[in-house]
Amino acid sequence: TGSGDSTVFDTVNFMTMGTSRVLHDATERYTAIILAGKLDARAPVAYTVCVTAKDYDAPLSPGDTDESYEISAGVSVANVTAQTVWGALRGIETFSQLVVADTKRFALPPTPIHITDHPRFGWRGLMIDTGRNYLTPTSIKMALDGMAYTKPNVLHWHMTDDESFPVAATSLPSPAGSGDCRAAHPYSHYKTQQDVPVARRKPHTPPTAGRPW
């Protein structure tokens, strides 16, 4: 970090190139996370974050995808640059963690700030096991948020096992009706339709089912 004064602002504007849905959703999500409803629209001082990647269409393939990024932040503008959209998402997350908020305004550490970063390990994962332990849809979404904050890139959702089959599948309607842990604890087709797209739009691979029942 630099030796100047802290940069103070009231709102943040993300600017992106390309048409990546993942990146577009990320900038909206992180704007809400950073501002947390504190925007004073009367006389806002805006801080601009420009996000660019060389490859906006690269798939997320753990161990192979380049997730490196750089951040250069000045008094009023920060640039997040990366080789792929997934590295750009890592950079946006790091930028959001640099921001300090009080009751009215936001601040960055003294500028200029320059960060060059990349994952130490190509495969960084989390497994959630709902085949043996019921987790509410809310807690699953909290786990997805936690993964975005800490930057793993693999989610293994162990949905089923010998102990239970708590997932309602249109192709296998019978097991879910008799194999869930409790009658009130099945994962409906609607709930999994909500959670899987959420997982895809965050920087980790979509969930996979465990071994079939």
Side-chain angles (χ1 to χ4, degrees), residues 7 112 143 184 200:
T7 296
R200 284 199 178 101

Side-chain angles (χ1 to χ4, degrees), residues 20 23 41 49 53 58 65 71 80-81 120 127-128 130 132 135 152 166 174 176 185 187 196 202 209 213:
S20 169
L23 196 56
V49 182
T65 301
I71 299 175
V80 178
T81 58
R120 181 179 179 185
M127 184 185 81
I128 56 176
T130 58
R132 300 181 182 90
L135 299 175
S174 298
H185 290 170
Y187 295 101
V196 171
K202 294 183 180 180
W213 203 44

Side-chain angles (χ1 to χ4, degrees), residues 43-178:
V45 175
Y47 192 88
T48 301
V49 182
C50 301
V51 184
T52 58
K54 288 186 177 180
D55 188 347
Y56 290 95
D57 300 313
L60 179 56
S61 178
D64 297 323
T65 301
D66 189 332
E67 298 177 65
S68 63
Y69 64 90
E70 292 188 14
I71 299 175
S72 296
V75 175
S76 60
V77 178
N79 290 289
V80 178
T81 58
Q83 295 296 314
T84 68
V85 65
W86 308 105
L89 262 63
R90 307 300 182 199
I92 294 173
E93 172 58 41
T94 297
F95 175 83
S96 75
Q97 294 179 12
L98 292 173
V99 178
V100 178
D102 60 21
T103 57
K104 293 182 179 180
R105 306 194 77 186
F106 307 91
L108 289 173
T111 55
I113 300 170
H114 185 74
I115 298 172
T116 301
D117 192 22
H118 67 276
R120 181 179 179 185
F121 301 105
W123 186 287
R124 310 174 307 282
L126 173 73
M127 184 185 81
I128 56 176
D129 185 353
T130 58
R132 300 181 182 90
N133 308 276
Y134 177 73
L135 299 175
T136 66
T138 298
S139 65
I140 292 173
K141 290 178 181 179
M142 290 174 65
L144 296 179
D145 287 339
M147 291 184 71
Y149 303 148
T150 54
K151 305 174 185 174
N153 59 2
V154 177
L155 170 65
H156 178 80
W157 186 349
H158 191 83
M159 291 182 176
T160 66
D161 212 296
D162 293 343
E163 289 80 2
S164 71
F165 195 106
V167 181
T170 55
S171 58
L172 296 170
S174 298
S178 57

